[in-house]
Amino acid sequence: MANYSRFLLLLLPLLLHIHNVKSELQLKYYAKSCPRAEDIIKEQVATLYHKHGNTAVSWIRNLFHDCMVKSCDASLYLDTANGLESEKESPRNFGMRNFKYIETIKQALEKECPNTVSCADIVALSARDGLLWLGGPIRIEMKTGRKDSKETYFPEVEKYLPNHNDSMSSVLSRFQSIGIDTEGTVALLGAHSVGRVHCVNLVHRLYPTVDPTIDPDYAKYLKGRCPSPNPDPEAVLYSRLDRETTMILDNIYYKNILNKKGLLIVDQELVTDPNTSPFVVKMAADNNYFHQQFARAMLILSENNPLIGDQGEIRKVCRYVNSA
């Protein structure tokens, strides 16, 4: 009995530590330290959207490309400096843009509450608020309290980020590794309802012969957008992911891929894979259901292995780690 009591005394500090670590990511984390933090981010996202409409799409992309790679910690935003190679340089992040505008949001927060709100929380909240301007799910209650990483994960980007040419089983496995089920994966890929794809990433489906899973008329349109099998990666040659509602996050995406009008291989595989196809049909029929599942999966993604407590820092500038 004495040994058991001694064991509990030794275990108690560990249990309290675990509880405290988990409790640091919470709703309204900045309620006392920076009461207007979430309002400022929402205002800035709205202002930027009205000046540069594509920023709303970028915020969603950024959440995915940051949080899938080890942690939601704004490592994606770090520039190459002091021996750290930026994740932005990875081929998997080709075509990512509007990074500079995260600094616009950060500066507004620094003016209100210096050294308080992390870049990682800006990544998460800007994605949530950007959804509203894309006709996405109504406001999502998102926890905050993330810290910023002090390092980049450039060598590991390809290990964590799914590729648009990967098999569906591989894509599902990567999402499942962070707690997102098949239904949630199908919903998150619905982000392909907005934005564009560079020709570099789709010409392999058009040349030398057209992928038979593409609708012939759609293939003709795509060849018009991407007339060369060897497009210049520096040129702005692209096709919209969704030609009908180009800047609306809706279930038209699922209707398109059911009609063989998916841009990427991974889009069309959603239809042909027996694990995912039932969810595609269901989301194509019900936009509200799609939004509900998108919101659920986005929350899980936004809470992937966050740095909390003293595991990270609050960067003063999102592009660089703080100087010692």
Coordinates of all heavy atoms in Angstrom, one line a residue, residues 230-291:
N230 N 5.2 21.2 -72.1 CA 6.3 21.6 -71.3 C 6.1 23.1 -70.9 O 6.8 24.0 -71.4 CB 7.6 21.4 -72.0 CG 7.8 20.0 -72.4 OD1 8.0 19.1 -71.5 ND2 7.9 19.7 -73.7
P231 N 5.1 23.4 -70.1 CA 4.9 24.8 -69.7 C 6.0 25.4 -68.9 O 6.7 24.7 -68.1 CB 3.6 24.7 -68.9 CG 3.6 23.3 -68.3 CD 4.2 22.5 -69.4
D232 N 6.2 26.7 -69.1 CA 7.2 27.4 -68.3 C 6.7 27.6 -66.8 O 5.7 28.2 -66.6 CB 7.4 28.8 -68.9 CG 8.5 29.6 -68.2 OD1 9.0 29.1 -67.1 OD2 8.7 30.8 -68.6
P233 N 7.4 27.0 -65.9 CA 6.9 27.1 -64.5 C 6.9 28.5 -64.0 O 6.2 28.8 -63.0 CB 7.9 26.2 -63.7 CG 9.1 26.2 -64.6 CD 8.7 26.2 -66.0
E234 N 7.6 29.4 -64.6 CA 7.6 30.8 -64.2 C 6.4 31.6 -64.8 O 6.1 32.7 -64.3 CB 8.9 31.5 -64.6 CG 10.2 30.9 -64.0 CD 10.1 30.9 -62.4 OE1 9.7 31.9 -61.9 OE2 10.5 29.9 -61.8
A235 N 5.8 31.0 -65.8 CA 4.7 31.7 -66.5 C 3.4 31.4 -65.7 O 3.2 30.4 -65.1 CB 4.5 31.2 -67.9
V236 N 2.5 32.4 -65.8 CA 1.2 32.2 -65.0 C 0.2 31.5 -66.0 O -0.7 32.2 -66.5 CB 0.7 33.6 -64.5 CG1 -0.6 33.4 -63.7 CG2 1.8 34.3 -63.7
L237 N 0.4 30.2 -66.2 CA -0.5 29.4 -67.0 C -1.2 28.5 -66.1 O -0.6 27.7 -65.4 CB 0.3 28.6 -68.0 CG 1.1 29.5 -69.1 CD1 2.0 28.6 -69.9 CD2 0.1 30.2 -70.0
Y238 N -2.5 28.6 -66.1 CA -3.3 27.8 -65.1 C -4.7 27.6 -65.7 O -5.2 28.2 -66.6 CB -3.4 28.5 -63.8 CG -4.1 29.8 -63.9 CD1 -5.5 29.9 -63.7 CD2 -3.5 31.0 -64.1 CE1 -6.2 31.1 -63.7 CE2 -4.1 32.2 -64.2 CZ -5.5 32.3 -64.0 OH -6.2 33.4 -64.1
S239 N -5.4 26.7 -64.9 CA -6.8 26.5 -65.2 C -7.5 26.6 -63.8 O -7.0 26.2 -62.8 CB -7.1 25.1 -65.8 OG -8.5 24.9 -65.9
R240 N -8.7 27.2 -63.8 CA -9.5 27.3 -62.6 C -10.0 25.8 -62.2 O -10.3 25.0 -63.1 CB -10.8 28.1 -62.8 CG -10.4 29.6 -63.0 CD -10.1 30.2 -61.7 NE -9.8 31.6 -61.8 CZ -9.3 32.4 -60.8 NH1 -9.0 31.8 -59.6 NH2 -9.0 33.6 -61.0
L241 N -10.0 25.6 -61.0 CA -10.4 24.3 -60.5 C -11.9 24.1 -60.8 O -12.4 23.0 -61.0 CB -10.1 24.2 -59.0 CG -8.7 23.9 -58.6 CD1 -8.4 24.4 -57.2 CD2 -8.4 22.4 -58.7
D242 N -12.7 25.2 -60.7 CA -14.1 25.1 -60.9 C -14.5 26.3 -61.8 O -14.4 27.4 -61.4 CB -14.8 25.1 -59.6 CG -16.4 25.1 -59.7 OD1 -16.9 25.2 -60.8 OD2 -17.0 25.1 -58.7
R243 N -15.0 26.0 -63.0 CA -15.3 27.1 -63.9 C -16.6 27.7 -63.7 O -16.9 28.8 -64.1 CB -15.3 26.5 -65.4 CG -13.9 26.0 -65.8 CD -14.0 25.2 -67.1 NE -14.6 26.0 -68.2 CZ -15.0 25.5 -69.4 NH1 -15.0 24.1 -69.5 NH2 -15.5 26.2 -70.3
E244 N -17.5 27.0 -62.9 CA -18.9 27.5 -62.7 C -19.0 28.5 -61.6 O -19.6 29.6 -61.7 CB -19.8 26.3 -62.5 CG -19.9 25.4 -63.7 CD -20.8 24.3 -63.5 OE1 -22.0 24.5 -63.1 OE2 -20.4 23.1 -63.7
T245 N -18.4 28.1 -60.4 CA -18.5 29.0 -59.2 C -17.0 29.1 -58.7 O -16.6 28.5 -57.7 CB -19.4 28.4 -58.1 OG1 -19.0 27.1 -57.8 CG2 -20.8 28.4 -58.6
T246 N -16.2 29.9 -59.4 CA -14.8 29.9 -59.3 C -14.3 30.3 -57.9 O -13.3 29.8 -57.5 CB -14.1 30.8 -60.3 OG1 -14.7 32.2 -60.1 CG2 -14.4 30.4 -61.7
M247 N -15.1 31.1 -57.2 CA -14.6 31.6 -55.9 C -15.6 31.3 -54.8 O -15.8 32.0 -53.8 CB -14.3 33.1 -55.9 CG -13.2 33.5 -56.8 SD -11.6 32.9 -56.1 CE -11.4 34.0 -54.8
I248 N -16.3 30.2 -55.0 CA -17.3 29.7 -54.0 C -17.0 28.3 -53.6 O -16.8 27.4 -54.4 CB -18.8 29.8 -54.5 CG1 -19.1 31.2 -55.0 CG2 -19.8 29.3 -53.5 CD1 -19.2 32.2 -53.9
L249 N -16.8 28.1 -52.3 CA -16.6 26.8 -51.7 C -17.9 26.0 -51.7 O -18.7 26.2 -50.7 CB -15.9 26.9 -50.4 CG -15.5 25.5 -49.8 CD1 -14.2 25.1 -50.4 CD2 -15.4 25.6 -48.2
D250 N -18.2 25.2 -52.7 CA -19.5 24.6 -52.7 C -19.3 23.2 -53.3 O -18.2 22.7 -53.7 CB -20.5 25.4 -53.5 CG -20.1 25.6 -55.0 OD1 -19.2 24.9 -55.5 OD2 -20.6 26.6 -55.6
N251 N -20.4 22.5 -53.4 CA -20.4 21.1 -53.9 C -20.4 20.9 -55.4 O -20.5 19.8 -55.9 CB -21.6 20.3 -53.2 CG -22.9 20.8 -53.7 OD1 -23.1 21.9 -54.2 ND2 -23.9 19.9 -53.5
I252 N -20.3 22.0 -56.1 CA -20.1 21.9 -57.6 C -18.9 21.0 -57.9 O -18.9 20.3 -58.9 CB -20.0 23.3 -58.2 CG1 -21.3 24.1 -58.0 CG2 -19.7 23.1 -59.7 CD1 -22.5 23.5 -58.7
Y253 N -17.9 21.1 -57.1 CA -16.7 20.3 -57.2 C -17.0 18.8 -57.4 O -16.5 18.1 -58.3 CB -15.7 20.6 -56.1 CG -14.6 19.5 -55.9 CD1 -13.5 19.5 -56.8 CD2 -14.7 18.5 -54.9 CE1 -12.5 18.6 -56.6 CE2 -13.7 17.6 -54.8 CZ -12.6 17.6 -55.6 OH -11.6 16.7 -55.5
Y254 N -17.9 18.3 -56.5 CA -18.2 16.9 -56.5 C -19.1 16.5 -57.7 O -18.9 15.5 -58.3 CB -18.9 16.5 -55.2 CG -18.1 16.8 -54.0 CD1 -18.3 18.0 -53.2 CD2 -17.0 16.0 -53.6 CE1 -17.5 18.2 -52.1 CE2 -16.2 16.3 -52.6 CZ -16.5 17.4 -51.8 OH -15.6 17.7 -50.7
K255 N -19.9 17.5 -58.1 CA -20.7 17.2 -59.3 C -19.8 17.2 -60.6 O -20.0 16.4 -61.5 CB -21.8 18.3 -59.5 CG -22.8 18.3 -58.4 CD -23.8 19.5 -58.5 CE -24.8 19.5 -57.4 NZ -25.7 20.6 -57.5
N256 N -18.8 18.1 -60.6 CA -17.8 18.1 -61.7 C -17.0 16.8 -61.8 O -16.9 16.2 -62.9 CB -16.8 19.2 -61.5 CG -17.4 20.6 -61.9 OD1 -18.4 20.6 -62.6 ND2 -16.8 21.6 -61.4
I257 N -16.5 16.3 -60.7 CA -15.7 15.1 -60.7 C -16.6 13.8 -61.1 O -16.1 12.9 -61.7 CB -14.8 14.8 -59.5 CG1 -15.7 14.7 -58.2 CG2 -13.8 16.0 -59.3 CD1 -14.9 14.4 -57.0
L258 N -17.8 13.9 -60.7 CA -18.7 12.8 -61.1 C -19.0 12.8 -62.6 O -19.3 11.8 -63.2 CB -20.1 12.9 -60.4 CG -20.1 12.5 -58.9 CD1 -21.4 12.8 -58.2 CD2 -19.8 11.0 -58.8
N259 N -18.8 14.0 -63.2 CA -18.9 14.1 -64.7 C -17.6 14.1 -65.4 O -17.4 14.7 -66.5 CB -19.7 15.4 -65.0 CG -21.1 15.3 -64.6 OD1 -21.8 14.3 -64.8 ND2 -21.7 16.4 -64.0
K260 N -16.5 13.6 -64.7 CA -15.2 13.4 -65.3 C -14.6 14.8 -65.6 O -13.9 15.0 -66.6 CB -15.2 12.6 -66.6 CG -15.7 11.1 -66.3 CD -15.6 10.3 -67.6 CE -15.9 8.9 -67.3 NZ -15.8 8.0 -68.5
K261 N -14.8 15.8 -64.7 CA -14.2 17.1 -64.9 C -13.4 17.5 -63.7 O -13.4 18.6 -63.3 CB -15.3 18.1 -65.2 CG -16.1 17.9 -66.5 CD -17.2 19.0 -66.6 CE -18.0 18.7 -67.9 NZ -19.0 19.7 -68.1
G262 N -12.6 16.5 -63.3 CA -11.6 16.8 -62.2 C -10.3 17.2 -62.8 O -9.8 16.5 -63.8
L263 N -9.6 18.2 -62.3 CA -8.4 18.6 -62.8 C -7.2 17.7 -62.5 O -6.4 17.4 -63.4 CB -8.0 20.0 -62.3 CG -8.5 21.2 -63.1 CD1 -7.9 22.5 -62.5 CD2 -8.2 21.1 -64.5
L264 N -7.1 17.3 -61.3 CA -6.0 16.5 -60.8 C -6.4 15.0 -60.7 O -7.5 14.7 -60.5 CB -5.5 17.0 -59.4 CG -5.1 18.5 -59.4 CD1 -4.9 19.0 -58.0 CD2 -3.9 18.7 -60.2
I265 N -5.4 14.2 -60.7 CA -5.6 12.7 -60.6 C -6.3 12.4 -59.3 O -7.2 11.6 -59.3 CB -4.2 12.0 -60.7 CG1 -3.7 12.0 -62.2 CG2 -4.4 10.5 -60.3 CD1 -2.4 11.4 -62.3
V266 N -5.9 13.1 -58.2 CA -6.5 12.8 -56.9 C -8.0 13.1 -56.9 O -8.8 12.5 -56.2 CB -5.7 13.5 -55.8 CG1 -6.0 15.0 -55.8 CG2 -6.1 13.0 -54.4
D267 N -8.4 14.1 -57.7 CA -9.8 14.5 -57.8 C -10.6 13.3 -58.4 O -11.6 12.9 -57.9 CB -10.0 15.7 -58.6 CG -9.3 17.0 -58.0 OD1 -9.3 17.1 -56.8 OD2 -8.8 17.8 -58.8
Q268 N -10.1 12.8 -59.5 CA -10.8 11.8 -60.2 C -10.8 10.5 -59.4 O -11.7 9.7 -59.5 CB -10.3 11.6 -61.6 CG -11.3 11.1 -62.6 CD -12.5 12.1 -62.7 OE1 -12.3 13.3 -62.9 NE2 -13.7 11.6 -62.5
E269 N -9.7 10.2 -58.6 CA -9.7 9.0 -57.8 C -10.7 9.0 -56.7 O -11.1 7.9 -56.3 CB -8.3 8.9 -57.2 CG -7.2 8.4 -58.3 CD -5.9 8.0 -57.6 OE1 -5.7 8.4 -56.4 OE2 -5.1 7.3 -58.2
L270 N -11.2 10.2 -56.3 CA -12.2 10.2 -55.3 C -13.5 9.5 -55.8 O -14.2 8.9 -55.0 CB -12.6 11.6 -55.0 CG -11.7 12.4 -54.0 CD1 -12.2 13.9 -53.9 CD2 -11.6 11.8 -52.7
V271 N -13.7 9.5 -57.1 CA -14.9 8.9 -57.7 C -14.7 7.4 -57.9 O -15.6 6.6 -57.7 CB -15.2 9.6 -59.1 CG1 -16.4 8.9 -59.8 CG2 -15.5 11.1 -58.9
T272 N -13.5 7.0 -58.3 CA -13.2 5.6 -58.6 C -12.9 4.7 -57.4 O -13.1 3.5 -57.5 CB -12.1 5.5 -59.7 OG1 -10.9 6.1 -59.1 CG2 -12.5 6.2 -61.0
D273 N -12.5 5.3 -56.4 CA -12.1 4.5 -55.2 C -13.4 4.2 -54.4 O -14.2 5.1 -54.0 CB -11.1 5.3 -54.3 CG -10.6 4.5 -53.1 OD1 -11.3 4.2 -52.2 OD2 -9.4 4.0 -53.2
P274 N -13.6 2.9 -54.1 CA -14.9 2.5 -53.4 C -15.0 3.0 -52.0 O -16.1 3.1 -51.5 CB -14.8 1.0 -53.5 CG -13.3 0.7 -53.6 CD -12.8 1.8 -54.5
N275 N -13.9 3.4 -51.4 CA -13.9 4.0 -50.0 C -14.4 5.4 -50.0 O -15.0 5.8 -49.0 CB -12.5 3.9 -49.4 CG -12.0 2.5 -49.2 OD1 -12.7 1.7 -48.5 ND2 -10.9 2.1 -49.8
T276 N -14.1 6.1 -51.1 CA -14.5 7.6 -51.1 C -15.7 7.9 -51.9 O -16.4 8.9 -51.7 CB -13.3 8.4 -51.6 OG1 -12.9 7.9 -52.9 CG2 -12.1 8.3 -50.7
S277 N -16.0 7.1 -53.0 CA -17.0 7.4 -53.9 C -18.4 7.6 -53.2 O -19.2 8.5 -53.6 CB -17.1 6.4 -55.0 OG -17.4 5.1 -54.5
P278 N -18.8 6.9 -52.2 CA -20.1 7.1 -51.6 C -20.2 8.5 -51.0 O -21.3 9.1 -51.0 CB -20.2 6.0 -50.5 CG -19.3 4.9 -51.0 CD -18.2 5.7 -51.6
F279 N -19.1 9.0 -50.4 CA -19.1 10.3 -49.8 C -19.2 11.4 -50.9 O -19.8 12.5 -50.7 CB -17.9 10.5 -48.9 CG -17.9 9.6 -47.7 CD1 -16.9 8.7 -47.6 CD2 -18.9 9.7 -46.8 CE1 -16.8 7.8 -46.5 CE2 -18.9 8.8 -45.7 CZ -17.8 7.9 -45.5
V280 N -18.5 11.1 -52.1 CA -18.6 12.1 -53.2 C -20.0 12.3 -53.6 O -20.5 13.4 -53.8 CB -17.7 11.6 -54.4 CG1 -18.0 12.4 -55.6 CG2 -16.2 11.6 -54.0
V281 N -20.7 11.1 -53.8 CA -22.1 11.2 -54.2 C -23.0 11.9 -53.2 O -23.8 12.8 -53.6 CB -22.7 9.7 -54.4 CG1 -24.2 9.8 -54.7 CG2 -21.9 9.0 -55.6
K282 N -22.7 11.7 -51.9 CA -23.5 12.3 -50.9 C -23.3 13.8 -50.8 O -24.2 14.6 -50.7 CB -23.2 11.7 -49.5 CG -24.2 12.1 -48.4 CD -23.9 11.3 -47.1 CE -24.8 11.7 -46.0 NZ -24.6 10.9 -44.8
M283 N -22.0 14.2 -51.0 CA -21.7 15.7 -50.9 C -22.2 16.4 -52.2 O -22.5 17.5 -52.1 CB -20.2 15.8 -50.7 CG -19.7 15.4 -49.3 SD -18.0 15.6 -49.0 CE -17.9 14.7 -47.4
A284 N -22.1 15.7 -53.3 CA -22.7 16.3 -54.6 C -24.1 16.6 -54.4 O -24.7 17.5 -55.1 CB -22.4 15.3 -55.7
A285 N -24.8 15.8 -53.6 CA -26.3 16.0 -53.5 C -26.7 16.9 -52.4 O -27.8 17.4 -52.3 CB -26.9 14.6 -53.2
D286 N -25.7 17.3 -51.5 CA -26.1 18.0 -50.3 C -25.0 19.0 -49.9 O -24.0 18.6 -49.3 CB -26.4 17.1 -49.1 CG -27.0 17.8 -47.9 OD1 -26.9 19.0 -47.8 OD2 -27.7 17.1 -47.1
N287 N -25.1 20.2 -50.2 CA -24.1 21.2 -50.0 C -23.9 21.5 -48.5 O -22.8 21.7 -48.0 CB -24.4 22.6 -50.7 CG -23.2 23.5 -50.7 OD1 -22.1 23.2 -51.2 ND2 -23.4 24.7 -50.2
N288 N -25.0 21.4 -47.7 CA -24.9 21.6 -46.3 C -24.1 20.5 -45.6 O -23.3 20.8 -44.7 CB -26.3 21.7 -45.6 CG -27.0 23.0 -46.0 OD1 -26.3 24.0 -46.2 ND2 -28.3 23.0 -46.0
Y289 N -24.3 19.3 -46.1 CA -23.6 18.2 -45.5 C -22.1 18.3 -45.8 O -21.2 18.1 -45.0 CB -24.1 16.9 -46.2 CG -23.2 15.7 -46.0 CD1 -23.0 15.1 -44.8 CD2 -22.6 15.1 -47.1 CE1 -22.2 14.0 -44.6 CE2 -21.8 14.0 -47.0 CZ -21.5 13.5 -45.7 OH -20.7 12.4 -45.6
F290 N -21.8 18.8 -47.1 CA -20.4 19.0 -47.4 C -19.8 20.1 -46.5 O -18.7 19.9 -45.9 CB -20.3 19.5 -48.9 CG -19.0 20.3 -49.2 CD1 -17.8 19.7 -48.9 CD2 -19.1 21.5 -49.8 CE1 -16.6 20.4 -49.2 CE2 -17.9 22.2 -50.1 CZ -16.7 21.7 -49.8
H291 N -20.5 21.2 -46.2 CA -19.9 22.2 -45.4 C -19.7 21.7 -43.9 O -18.8 22.1 -43.3 CB -20.9 23.4 -45.4 CG -20.7 24.3 -46.6 ND1 -21.5 25.4 -46.8 CD2 -19.8 24.3 -47.6 CE1 -21.1 26.0 -47.9 NE2 -20.1 25.3 -48.4

